[in-house]
Amino acid sequence: MKRLAILLSGRGSNFEAIADSIKRGRLPARIEVVVSNLASAPGLDKARRRGLKTLVIPSRGVPREDYDRSLVYELKRHRVDLVCLAGFMRILGPLFVRAFPNRILNIHPSLLPAFPGLNSQRQALEYGVQFSGCTVHLVDEGVDSGPILLQAAVPVLESDDEESLAARILAEEHRLYPQAIGMLVRGEVRLEGRRVVRRF
Amino acid sequence: MKRLAILLSGRGSNFEAIADSIKRGRLPARIEVVVSNLASAPGLDKARRRGLKTLVIPSRGVPREDYDRSLVYELKRHRVDLVCLAGFMRILGPLFVRAFPNRILNIHPSLLPAFPGLNSQRQALEYGVQFSGCTVHLVDEGVDSGPILLQAAVPVLESDDEESLAARILAEEHRLYPQAIGMLVRGEVRLEGRRVVRRF
């Protein structure tokens, strides 16, 4: 059974989708620890209510490399196989990425490579695209630039504001993230260059 | 009846889709002139066979501004309302773009802003995206950066090569381009910043 760490800074709705998927027997993995850089993250409470182990590693004022080192230490100590970023609002440096090569996942609310970074939904609306979506990708040393595991597309409507577009994308995120984790923990995919392909 | 110019350098399959759409009474416009920078472009023959006026303005070795000036002269002489780039492989400069403000359309085989420039299908495959598509946009002074009129999304399959992906996108292009021209010639849309919105 693969051991997951979830890293979050906010409400943790993607964390809940993953936990629900495990509970329903659809995802052969267990959540070993839920980590946040913010003690006030509502996602931590949700994790505790589910009986999961939580850990706060405060990031404020901590240099990136020191922070990465603490995080790696804790995750290695918990013998984590896969690190799932779920609204974790702290950028992780090379030290962290190299400690878990191709073992860190992130979900991003756009069809990457379009609209990386923050406020993707606003970027999409301001650009005037008619399709957006979400992307689960492996984390490399760039910003939202790693190999893509899964994407889902949604239409952008003329009546959309940031909130309505974010909600439409979020529904797809909750479906997509557990599915992408499942592909990895079941060993269904391998990397060819930066393309993720199915094993047969 | 709005007067169109089509600019092409290749086989002209999008030109044919536009011409067919007009012939079937679905697009209230007429093609005033089909222009190519290459005398050998197969699209020119197709235009002649349809009884349309064609014009070759060779671009080889001609400085951009001189070329733009010749093109503007010819299109103004034909009292063209809308300029439709359909596989025109010469970059047009500010002089040309400013002569037809928001009156030049292009079709691009990706979901812009992803994969602008050349070989979009190859770029998409190498990046490893799971959705691509095509975009009809107004031409501004950047590369494939103008306001979006219409987009269509298509899945990228693991078995795809450049050719199969290009073919899937091209089918959408032929549907989308006449539709986008129709929105403009019927005056159905207006610009809000860089967003294209419907008039009510």
Side-chain angles (χ1 to χ4, degrees), chain B residues 8-19:
Chain B
L8 55 80
S9 306
R11 60 191 162 173
S13 77
N14 272 307
F15 150 63
E16 289 197 285
I18 296 164

Side-chain angles (χ1 to χ4, degrees), chain A residues 2-70:
Chain A
K2 295 287 182 185
R3 299 158 69 94
L4 312 183
I6 311 277
L7 274 56
L8 55 79
S9 306
R11 60 191 163 174
S13 76
N14 272 306
F15 151 63
E16 288 199 285
I18 296 164
D20 286 345
S21 190
I22 291 172
K23 197 169 146 194
R24 287 180 197 133
R26 291 183 193 163
L27 179 55
R30 49 179 284 179
I31 296 173
E32 206 49 38
V33 62
V34 176
V35 183
S36 182
N37 59 327
L38 298 174
S40 60
L44 283 175
D45 272 338
K46 291 176 183 158
R48 281 183 210 112
R49 260 179 270 134
R50 286 172 185 260
L52 295 170
K53 174 157 187 193
T54 63
L55 205 58
V56 176
I57 311 179
S59 61
R60 204 166 188 171
V62 182
R64 183 174 300 171
E65 217 169 284
D66 296 345
Y67 192 75
D68 283 6
R69 202 170 283 118
S70 308

Side-chain angles (χ1 to χ4, degrees), chain A residues 85 91-94 96-98 100-106 137-148 194, chain B residues 127:
Chain A
L85 309 184
I91 289 176
L92 298 164
F96 187 82
V97 173
R98 288 173 198 164
F100 296 96
N102 291 332
R103 290 287 153 196
I104 311 166
L105 279 76
N106 186 35
H137 64 91
L138 296 175
V139 173
D140 64 12
E141 295 181 23
V143 175
D144 302 323
S145 58
I148 290 172
R194 57 165 294 131
Chain B
Y127 196 97

